[in-house]
Amino acid sequence: MKHPVSFDPAPEHSAAAPDVVASGLSRDPSLAASEGRRRIITAAAGAGAAALLPGLSRAQNLPGVSATELRIGNTTSLSGPVSALGTIAKSQGAVFKMINEQGGIAGRQIKFIIYDDGFSPPKTLEMARKLIEQDDVALLFGNLGTGPNSAIVRYVNQLGVPHLFLSVNGDKWADTKANPWSMPFAPSGRVECQVAIKHVLSSKPDAKFAILYQNDDFGRDYIAGAKDILGSKYDAQVKAASYEVTDPTCDSQVIQLMGGNPDALISGVTGKFGAMAIRKAADLGFKGGHYIATGVTSVQGTIIPAGVDRAIGVMSTSYLKDPSDPSLTDDAGVKAYRAFMARYYPEGNPDDFYNAYGFLTGSVMVQVLRQCNGDFSRKSIMAQANNLKNFEHGMLLPGIKVNTGPNDHRPLKQMQLQRWDGKRWSRFGSIFEGTNVQA
């Protein structure tokens, strides 16, 4: 069953081990106490040094670039409350290991340096500074978590360091004016809500909507998404109610929303509130369309607690193939992914949705580096991150492509709907695309 990509989940634990673990001596004595907690995963294949390039003198002056090596940095949670998500970075590192085995990029091997921040924002800042100021990386890639990335976003943008394909939730990361050097990857709640609204309007243009949302940046993205689509009609067609993450339940909010007899309920919620919203709406006899956030589609975490029968008909969005879906056993993209896992990350779980996500994002990062044509200056790397055009990948659902631009830091805007049928999530219908809103 599908494990949703949500980057601020409930605590879990991971047993997977990295490909290579090494301890390094800090060049900054003030960081010595933290070295016991530091982990570095390097994807350098050690297949021998590449021949010197004509651009050697220029490479020596570029951060993170030598004649034979390109250094990329990452902070993630290999320990602490969300250590299960550390497998994303390990999967990404395995992609670089594969590329190195194939000869690297522009004659250079990729060295992927990962520091464990334990999902602690102050630690993230400490480790990001170490990556940039001591390890001299060319860029940061795939950094995990909204809180940790919030602790470093101003720092990296002031320095002009590419901060790419972040594992975060929230539309604020696509603000190209405030943070031109940062870019998320997965669609935000804003886009998810846009897709849900468009789907309902396609069959009922005058539909009434109820939106249950978490009172924070994540939840407010759903309100923004509805306003993007409905514009001046928002007030007439939408009734919204918020809850606090500290609330014991959201039952009163659901009761309030159902009083308006909506045609559709959109739940921009996290954690336990996903199951609560499904259960309460069903108990109230709601027969309209119920759309829930991608982050609360877990069968174990949401559907079973809500009741598998109560959840029948509930919808959500998806963009990535589920490697555990039996119907995709013979799919060419899934088969290639499984072969990759078997060879380059054998200790990882190929059915883990987070590993599929790491494989996809690692591949997109490789595409950016290839488009650099050997110019790995930070300015060039960012320019190519802003120049992805209709990039396709075997693990994306058919018809979904990656596109970016200098004013478009939403790589994925397309998604397909899926519906809980009582046993599994089943995809249906055509690909919907969110509205391209300039930040």
Side-chain angles (χ1 to χ4, degrees):
M1 290 297 181
K2 179 176 182 278
H3 301 280
V5 175
S6 178
F7 303 107
D8 297 283
E12 297 183 54
H13 300 282
S14 173
D19 289 304
V20 179
V21 179
S23 295
L25 296 176
S26 172
R27 286 171 283 186
D28 182 349
S30 67
L31 296 178
S34 70
E35 288 302 314
R37 299 188 300 272
R38 166 183 147 174
R39 300 183 184 181
I40 300 176
I41 301 175
T42 174
L52 292 179
L53 301 175
L56 172 58
S57 60
R58 181 168 60 86
Q60 289 175 329
N61 296 320
L62 295 178
V65 183
S66 73
T68 60
E69 187 176 80
L70 173 62
R71 292 186 295 282
I72 299 174
N74 171 281
T75 56
T76 192
S77 184
L78 298 175
S79 63
V82 294
S83 59
L85 274 68
T87 195
I88 296 172
K90 295 173 188 177
S91 180
Q92 292 165 336
V95 172
F96 298 141
K97 181 179 180 181
M98 175 180 69
I99 295 303
N100 286 342
E101 188 177 278
Q102 296 170 359
I105 297 178
R108 295 175 176 88
Q109 298 281 288
I110 299 171
K111 184 176 182 181
F112 191 39
I113 305 172
I114 300 177
Y115 285 157
D116 179 14
D117 63 11
F119 216 67
S120 167
K123 188 67 177 178
T124 307
L125 179 58
E126 178 186 352
M127 294 295 95
R129 294 192 63 166
K130 187 166 180 61
L131 284 165
I132 293 168
E133 298 173 21
Q134 297 186 32
D135 296 310
D136 198 32
V137 297
L139 70 143
L140 299 179
F141 161 63
N143 300 64
L144 174 69
T146 297
N149 276 289
S150 294
I152 65 175
V153 64
R154 183 178 178 186
Y155 167 68
V156 297
N157 276 270
Q158 286 179 335
L159 291 180
V161 178
H163 182 215
L164 300 176
F165 309 134
L166 311 178
S167 295
V168 292
N169 294 116
D171 201 62
K172 70 176 185 178
W173 300 103
D175 187 341
T176 58
K177 294 179 182 178
N179 306 309
W181 293 86
S182 299
M183 187 182 295
F185 188 78
S188 69
R190 186 172 186 169
V191 175
E192 287 189 23
C193 189
Q194 290 173 357
V195 169
I197 296 280
K198 282 188 171 185
H199 180 242
V200 176
L201 294 179
S202 67
S203 59
K204 191 169 184 179
D206 61 346
K208 293 183 179 180
F209 298 90
I211 301 179
L212 173 67
Y213 69 100
Q214 189 163 291
N215 190 24
D216 59 12
D217 287 344
F218 168 78
R220 286 187 286 271
D221 276 349
Y222 283 80
I223 300 300
K227 290 181 177 179
D228 291 335
I229 303 299
L230 296 171
S232 61
K233 298 180 180 179
Y234 174 86
D235 288 336
Q237 291 185 246
V238 175
K239 185 175 183 179
S242 67
Y243 70 89
E244 304 294 334
V245 293
T246 54
D247 290 347
T249 77
C250 59
D251 286 359
S252 62
Q253 288 89 340
V254 175
I255 292 171
Q256 175 189 346
L257 291 170
M258 291 298 99
N261 296 315
D263 298 292
L265 169 62
I266 299 173
S267 295
V269 302
T270 63
K272 66 182 182 181
F273 297 100
M276 290 177 179
I278 292 171
R279 184 168 57 244
K280 193 61 179 178
D283 290 347
L284 291 172
F286 179 59
K287 301 300 182 184
H290 189 179
Y291 300 79
I292 62 173
T294 302
V296 289
T297 53
S298 167
V299 175
Q300 292 295 322
T302 300
I303 301 301
I304 292 176
V308 293
D309 291 334
R310 285 191 181 98
I312 291 175
V314 167
M315 290 169 278
S316 188
T317 53
S318 181
Y319 60 88
L320 186 62
K321 293 174 183 175
D322 180 358
S324 68
D325 185 344
S327 70
L328 295 177
T329 300
D330 295 324
D331 178 86
V334 173
K335 289 173 72 174
Y337 159 73
R338 287 188 170 277
F340 154 80
M341 288 293 292
R343 179 164 182 173
Y344 297 102
Y345 189 15
E347 63 272 36
N349 178 6
D351 288 337
D352 189 334
F353 198 74
Y354 289 125
N355 285 328
Y357 174 84
F359 177 56
L360 169 62
T361 51
S363 300
V364 175
M365 188 70 250
V366 167
Q367 176 66 21
V368 169
L369 297 176
R370 285 177 172 156
Q371 289 181 192
C372 288
N373 291 320
D375 179 359
F376 297 121
S377 66
R378 288 171 173 169
K379 182 177 180 180
S380 173
I381 292 169
M382 197 67 225
Q384 293 309 317
N386 285 331
N387 191 37
L388 290 167
K389 304 301 180 186
N390 293 320
F391 177 76
E392 297 180 276
H393 190 276
M395 285 303 289
L396 287 171
L397 295 176
I400 294 181
K401 302 175 182 179
V402 177
N403 282 282
T404 61
N407 296 311
D408 179 13
H409 281 191
R410 297 177 177 88
L412 289 175
K413 293 173 283 294
Q414 300 165 298
M415 289 187 276
Q416 187 175 18
L417 287 160
Q418 57 183 3
R419 181 184 289 113
W420 178 254
D421 65 12
K423 294 182 179 179
R424 63 182 61 85
W425 287 104
S426 299
R427 296 190 305 275
F428 67 94
S430 59
I431 299 296
F432 277 80
E433 183 167 344
T435 300
N436 186 12
V437 181
Q438 298 300 320

